[in-house]
């Protein structure tokens, strides 16, 4: 090899010195430019990122609002992201060790960035000329979850590095791990360790064993791929990888590794399974919360909501509604209606504590997923005969009594136009108010409305929370429209000494830090007197024991109870609202677009069974408790054929009709029954006098004669009735003996 002559090299350099100098200058300028560009690029990447103060906001995240039932049990969640935030102390160490082992084994050693992993990832990315290999530490992942988009670019990676450093100088390692475990997505709509633990294993994050923790930790890499609800085999394979990493890092020993690797997978979704019940209730609560606090607060701030719901009653209610719908649909095949429809049969149920207004169970239809329309709170329907108790409550308030005889049932009512409604249950021309309600007589209810005035009935309907009722005669038989929840609440007033407890679903709302935001005290309104409530309840007990709701007894419901059925024209709606001293429950069955449910299908067979089966379970632990009379109630033996004081002759008469009747003090009858007399009087003055069509009461309103009532028919709200004679002064001894005060008008005789 020939060595170049140094002199020739020097001569070349001298002759080309200017060229060499130019090249050196260009190289220096290029180096300086590249360095400046690099600095400028890094500056542009970091510009606009949260500073150290703003980085503290990494702790804020959308948190689910949790809803509990009356016993404190978790019932529902409302969320933008299904997340239940918990402190690190309530997360199993098994899960924290699993996460560190598989995601960032040097987590406690680095300052936010792991150089070893970064170099390896960069080499891979440069070779493949794209950002493919992940090298993110737990801190970097937290930075991305809190502040960045999930896109894979060099710029985003650099932003991660910058923010990771700021996070490490702002939070401790424990705080970073807590934030991460509450923010990260674990698949199947579950955010954070607590939601994932409940959603996959039905247990809190604090209770996870090694195998369960390893499975959850393995989901972070690709939640949609490894979720056990998506692919069990992939989930188990990924669990094995996590367990191996835990064994390699020393987080678990060999026996624990082998045991966890063999552990069977048992999924148990306690989070969403609970929401299989009560979705109509939840939706009502959600709407109320949004009205109170706004959408963002409800969906993102992690409210704690205490409700009035009883989950056991709710499950029972939904099961019985489904059962009753199925039973009726089978009956429909046996008795098909002429009205064909593809619309599904619906039913609704609401159970309320009459003393507080707390709604214990609420079913708004057969399937919330198919139709979220709530037929218990939103649907307004005619209640039919279920409205009659309101008519009689208004009458009792005016001094009428359960023993008042309502007569002239076969004569047209003197309303704006002469009207004689159908009456399928009663043939007699005169019956007591108690019997009229038990038998659900349409004509008796219309006659009583005519007597006390439609305005009075409308007024008491309003007091009982039923809103504005139409001022029409047919109101007596339930042609006004009500919601199931309002009618049920109205009946609750009869169980609560005449005091209406307005329905409520929410009791308290607290913020995530425990601060009280809202409290809903029980709201009450005086509707009717305590004596009226008791007297009406006593009458409604007859409906359950021996009237149109007697099937409840046949089905095995044994507690003291009162209630009323309601069936509308053409059997389009079936209602029953009944109550014990502790619980009032209303049920409705029908179609959204009214049509015949079953030909000849009364509420007694369509609604009462649903009520009875629900109440048997709902009151299973209740003690037997009778309705207690308030002060001012007196008990008197009366002959129900005349409505007057019973005598020994009444009690000894064939087919005796004597019973102990309750009265508000001052309204009890004062004259003796004229229908049953001793034998020597029979021989002396003839057979018994006919029963009067109305009873003379100490405090009863003065009634107008029949002719005057007809002549003044346009005055609907005037207190008048053809079968209520003017009150008369107390008769003396001889008058009582010979019955001189007995009415003998042919128009008032019983058939």
């Amino acid at each position: 090899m020939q060595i170049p002559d140094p002199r020739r090299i020097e001569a070349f350099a001298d002759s080309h010195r200017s060229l060499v100098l130019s090249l050196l200058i260009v190289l220096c300028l290029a180096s300086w430019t590249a360095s400046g560009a690099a600095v400028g690029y890094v500056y542009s990447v970091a510009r606009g990122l949260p500073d150290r103060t703003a980085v503290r906001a990494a702790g804020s995240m959308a948190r689910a609002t949790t809803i509990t039932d009356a016993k404190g049990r978790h019932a529902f969640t409302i969320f933008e992201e299904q997340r239940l935030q918990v402190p690190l102390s309530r997360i199993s160490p098994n899960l924290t060790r699993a996460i560190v082992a598989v995601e960032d084994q040097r987590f406690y050693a680095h300052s936010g960035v792991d150089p070893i992993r970064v170099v390896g990832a960069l080499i891979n990315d440069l070779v493949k000329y794209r950002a493919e290999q992940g090298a993110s530490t737990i801190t970097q992942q937290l930075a991305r979850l809190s502040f960045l988009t999930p896109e894979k670019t060099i710029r985003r990676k650099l932003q991660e590095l910058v923010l990771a450093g700021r996070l490490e100088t702002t939070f401790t390692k424990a705080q970073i791990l807590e934030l991460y475990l509450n923010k990260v997505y674990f698949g199947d709509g579950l955010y954070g360790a607590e939601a994932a633990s409940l959603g996959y294993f039905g247990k809190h994050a604090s209770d996870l064993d090694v195998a369960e923790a390893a499975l959850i930790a393995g989901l972070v890499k690709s939640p949609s791929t490894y979720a056990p609800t998506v692919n069990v085999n992939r989930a188990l394979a990924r669990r094995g990888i996590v367990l191996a990493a835990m064994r390699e890092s020393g987080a678990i020993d060999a026996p624990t590794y082998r045991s966890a690797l063999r552990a069977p997978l048992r999924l148990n979704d306690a989070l969403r399974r609970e929401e299989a019940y009560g979705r109509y209730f939840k939706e009502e609560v959600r709407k109320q919360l949004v009205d109170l606090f706004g959408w963002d607060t409800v969906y993102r701030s992690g409210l704690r909501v205490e409700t009035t719901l009883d989950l056991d009653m709710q499950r029972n209610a939904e099961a019985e509604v489904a059962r009753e719908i199925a039973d009726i649909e089978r009956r429909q095949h046996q008795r098909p209606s002429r009205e064909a429809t593809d619309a599904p049969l619906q039913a609704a149920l609401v159970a309320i504590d009459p003393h507080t207004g707390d709604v214990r169970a609420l079913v708004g239809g057969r399937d919330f997923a198919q139709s979220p329309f709530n037929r218990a709170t939103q649907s307004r329907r005619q209640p039919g005969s279920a409205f009659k108790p309101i008519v009689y409550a208004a009458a009792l308030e005016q001094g009428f009594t359960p023993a008042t005889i309502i007569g002239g049932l076969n004569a047209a009512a003197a309303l704006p136009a002469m009207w004689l409604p159908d009456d399928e249950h009663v043939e007699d021309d005169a019956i007591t108010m108690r019997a009229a309600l038990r038998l659900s007589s349409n004509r008796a209810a219309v006659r009583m409305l005519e007597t006390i005035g439609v305005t009075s009935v409308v007024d008491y309907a309003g007091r009982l929370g039923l809103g504005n009722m139409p001022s029409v005669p047919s109101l007596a038989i339930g042609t006004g429209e009500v919601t199931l929840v309002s009618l049920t609440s109205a009946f609750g007033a009869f169980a609560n000494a005449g005091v209406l407890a307005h329905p409520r679903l929410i009791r308290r709302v607290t913020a995530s830090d425990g601060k009280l935001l809202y409290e809903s005290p029980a709201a009450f309104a005086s509707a009717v007197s305590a004596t009226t409530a008791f007297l009406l309840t006593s009458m409604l007990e007859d409906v359950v024991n021996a009237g149109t709701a007697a099937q409840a007894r046949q089905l095995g419901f044994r507690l003291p109870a009162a209630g009323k059925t309601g069936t509308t024209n053409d059997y389009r709606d079936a209602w029953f609202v009944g109550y014990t001293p502790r619980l009032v429950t209303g049920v409705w069955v029908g179609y959204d677009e009214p049509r015949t449910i079953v030909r000849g299908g009364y509420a007694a067979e369509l609604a009462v069974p649903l009520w009875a089966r629900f109440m048997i379970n709902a009151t299973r632990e209740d003690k037997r408790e009778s309705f207690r009379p308030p002060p001012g109630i007196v008990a008197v033996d009366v002959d129900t054929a005349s409505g007057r004081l019973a005598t020994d002759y009444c009690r000894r008469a064939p087919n005796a009709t004597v019973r102990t009747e309750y009265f508000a003090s001052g309204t009890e009858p004062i004259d003796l029954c004229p229908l049953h007399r001793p034998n020597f009087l029979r021989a002396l003055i003839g057979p018994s006098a006919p029963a009067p069509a109305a009873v003379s009461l100490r405090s009863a309103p003065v009634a107008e004669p029949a002719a005057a009532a007809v002549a003044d028919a346009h005055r609907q709200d005037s207190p008048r009735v053809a079968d209520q004679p003017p009150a008369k002064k107390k008769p003396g001894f001889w008058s009582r003996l010979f019955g001189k005060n007995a009415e003998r008008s042919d128009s008032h005789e019983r058939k």
Side-chain angles (χ1 to χ4, degrees):
M1 178 178 178
Q2 185 177 5
I3 299 175
D5 187 346
R7 288 177 297 177
R8 294 183 65 183
I9 294 174
E10 184 178 355
F12 178 83
D14 288 340
S15 61
H16 295 83
R17 189 177 302 277
S18 60
L19 177 60
V20 171
L21 184 60
S22 298
L23 287 173
L24 288 174
I25 292 172
V26 169
L27 289 173
C28 288
L29 288 173
S31 175
W32 293 338
T33 301
S35 299
V39 171
Y41 181 72
V42 171
Y43 174 76
S44 69
V45 167
R47 185 176 58 186
L49 290 178
D51 58 19
R52 297 185 193 284
T53 301
V55 160
R56 294 189 179 278
S60 64
M61 61 191 81
R63 287 167 288 183
T65 286
T66 59
I67 301 174
T68 61
D69 79 344
K71 298 178 181 177
R73 297 172 293 186
H74 179 268
F76 317 111
T77 53
I78 299 174
F79 56 89
E80 182 183 34
E81 297 174 349
Q82 179 79 302
R83 177 185 286 111
L84 302 173
Q85 192 170 357
V86 293
L88 191 63
S89 60
R90 288 173 51 191
I91 298 176
S92 170
N94 293 324
L95 182 56
T96 59
R97 287 193 287 263
I99 285 286
V100 169
V102 74
E103 290 295 320
D104 189 359
Q105 290 189 9
R106 285 177 287 275
F107 171 70
Y108 293 102
H110 62 65
S111 298
V113 179
D114 186 347
I116 298 174
R117 295 182 70 184
V118 169
V119 171
L122 282 175
I123 292 174
N124 178 81
D125 291 350
L126 288 172
V127 168
K128 297 189 176 181
Y129 199 66
R130 64 177 181 270
E132 180 183 77
Q133 182 103 356
S136 295
T137 62
I138 286 175
T139 312
Q140 287 174 257
Q141 291 182 52
L142 177 60
R144 182 171 68 250
L145 289 169
S146 301
F147 304 109
L148 303 174
T149 64
E151 62 178 343
K152 292 184 177 182
T153 64
I154 299 298
R155 181 182 182 85
R156 208 274 337 262
K157 275 290 182 184
L158 290 173
Q159 290 175 328
E160 269 186 26
L161 299 179
V162 174
L163 288 173
R166 294 178 183 175
L167 285 169
E168 288 279 345
T169 59
T170 304
F171 299 103
T172 65
K173 288 290 186 180
Q175 289 172 327
I176 289 172
L177 198 56
E178 178 181 305
L179 291 172
Y180 176 79
L181 285 170
N182 276 293
K183 281 202 170 190
V184 71
Y185 180 54
F186 289 104
D188 206 19
L190 303 169
Y191 290 81
E194 179 75 353
S197 301
L198 289 168
Y200 289 128
F201 298 113
K203 58 175 62 176
H204 294 291
S206 58
D207 300 326
L208 293 172
D209 61 28
V210 171
E212 294 163 343
L215 186 140
I216 288 178
L219 301 176
V220 174
K221 181 179 181 181
S222 181
S224 60
T225 300
Y226 297 122
T229 51
V230 174
N231 190 305
V232 172
N233 292 331
R234 286 199 202 114
L236 291 174
R238 179 64 179 166
R239 183 185 73 174
I241 293 173
V242 176
L243 289 170
M246 295 177 72
R247 175 73 184 93
E248 179 187 339
S249 65
I252 56 175
D253 56 22
T256 303
Y257 166 74
R258 289 192 294 270
S259 175
L261 199 61
R262 293 192 299 269
L265 177 62
R266 295 188 179 92
L267 297 179
N268 178 17
D269 186 354
L271 196 61
R272 273 76 57 91
R273 182 193 64 207
E274 290 173 342
E275 298 217 20
Y277 300 96
R279 294 185 66 186
Y280 285 102
F281 187 99
K282 174 187 175 182
E283 177 61 11
E284 289 299 308
V285 169
R286 186 197 69 81
K287 289 189 293 186
Q288 290 185 22
L289 290 172
V290 170
D291 288 342
L292 287 169
F293 303 107
W295 188 94
D296 194 66
T297 299
V298 173
Y299 279 81
R300 296 180 57 84
S301 66
L303 300 177
R304 302 291 185 266
V305 183
E306 299 172 29
T307 71
T308 62
L309 180 70
D310 185 312
L311 276 172
D312 298 324
M313 281 194 194
Q314 183 65 38
R315 294 188 184 101
N316 172 34
E318 296 189 22
E320 293 303 340
V321 165
R323 175 180 174 181
E324 186 63 24
I325 288 175
D327 287 348
I328 294 173
E329 288 178 336
R330 281 192 292 270
R331 215 171 304 171
Q332 287 174 331
H333 292 299
Q334 300 169 357
R335 286 184 278 171
S337 168
R338 297 175 182 174
E339 303 174 64
T341 181
D342 294 328
L345 180 66
Q346 299 289 346
L349 180 151
V350 62
I352 303 174
D353 182 333
H355 303 288
T356 63
D358 290 352
V359 177
R360 297 302 189 196
L362 176 68
V363 182
R366 66 186 293 156
D367 189 335
F368 181 87
Q370 293 180 4
S371 172
F373 179 73
N374 193 325
R375 294 153 190 88
T377 62
Q378 295 175 283
S379 179
R380 298 186 62 84
R381 304 291 285 257
Q382 293 183 357
S385 293
F387 186 80
K388 289 173 183 173
I390 286 76
V391 176
Y392 292 120
L396 291 168
E397 288 283 280
Q398 293 191 20
F400 291 89
T401 78
T404 295
I405 291 183
I406 307 173
L409 301 187
N410 294 326
L415 297 166
M418 302 302 286
W419 180 43
L420 186 65
D422 292 336
D423 210 339
E424 300 179 4
H425 307 297
V426 178
E427 296 181 357
D428 293 335
D429 189 55
I431 54 175
T432 64
M433 185 192 295
R434 177 180 290 275
L437 189 54
R438 174 173 60 84
L439 298 173
S440 197
S441 168
N442 288 339
R443 294 177 183 176
V446 171
R447 180 68 70 186
M448 183 52 71
L449 180 137
E450 178 192 18
T451 302
I452 63 176
V454 67
T455 301
S456 176
V457 176
V458 170
D459 175 54
Y460 279 98
R463 296 188 191 190
L464 288 161
L466 297 179
N468 296 323
M469 292 286 105
S471 296
V472 295
S474 59
L475 179 62
I477 55 176
T479 57
E481 293 183 340
V482 299
T483 63
L484 177 61
V485 70
S486 65
L487 187 63
T488 304
S489 177
F491 275 63
F494 305 141
N496 191 35
V499 177
L500 176 69
H502 294 285
R504 66 172 180 172
L505 285 76
I506 299 172
R507 295 170 58 196
R508 289 163 48 94
V509 180
T510 55
S512 57
D513 61 1
K515 179 182 178 182
L516 179 64
L517 300 178
Y518 173 78
E519 188 165 21
S520 173
F524 302 104
S526 180
V528 296
S529 68
T531 55
T532 289
F534 175 79
L535 293 175
L536 188 64
T537 294
S538 172
M539 294 161 65
L540 291 174
E541 284 188 278
D542 283 4
V543 176
V544 175
N545 294 332
T548 56
Q551 191 174 1
R553 298 303 189 200
Q554 298 169 14
L555 291 170
F557 184 70
R558 296 287 177 256
L559 294 181
K564 186 68 188 76
T565 54
T567 307
T568 58
N569 287 345
D570 298 323
Y571 311 102
R572 295 184 172 190
D573 300 89
W575 301 75
F576 182 64
V577 184
Y579 54 94
T580 68
R582 296 295 169 189
L583 188 67
V584 54
T585 297
V587 300
W588 167 86
V589 179
Y591 287 93
D592 289 338
E593 291 294 329
R595 60 168 291 242
T596 300
I597 304 169
V598 177
R599 285 189 297 110
Y602 288 99
E605 63 174 302
L606 302 182
V608 172
L610 168 56
W611 182 91
R613 288 193 296 263
F614 168 78
M615 289 291 284
I616 287 171
N617 284 311
T619 63
R620 190 176 299 279
E621 297 180 3
D622 291 1
K623 295 180 180 179
R624 186 177 185 85
E625 181 181 359
S626 299
F627 296 100
R628 296 180 180 178
I633 290 291
V634 296
V636 175
D637 284 352
V638 298
D639 191 312
T640 59
S642 66
R644 300 184 180 181
L645 294 175
T647 67
D648 288 341
Y649 302 106
C650 297
R651 296 181 182 91
R652 293 196 295 265
N655 302 318
T657 54
V658 176
R659 66 162 291 153
T660 300
E661 186 59 271
Y662 295 104
F663 299 87
S665 181
T667 66
E668 67 273 20
I670 58 175
D671 44 2
L672 300 175
C673 173
L675 302 182
H676 305 97
R677 304 164 185 264
N679 291 333
F680 79 91
L681 286 180
R682 287 175 180 272
L684 183 63
I685 64 173
S688 302
V695 178
S696 176
L697 306 176
R698 286 178 180 164
S699 59
V702 177
E704 299 174 12
V710 174
D712 198 27
H714 66 281
R715 295 173 55 201
Q716 294 181 41
D717 57 347
S718 60
R720 64 188 183 280
V721 64
D723 51 5
Q724 177 75 22
K728 303 185 179 180
K729 76 175 184 178
K730 184 175 180 180
F733 171 79
W734 293 108
S735 295
R736 291 187 183 180
L737 181 62
F738 289 100
K740 296 295 186 181
N741 60 326
E743 297 291 342
R744 296 184 178 275
S745 169
D746 291 341
S747 62
H748 296 153
E749 291 181 3
R750 289 174 58 87
K751 277 193 171 182

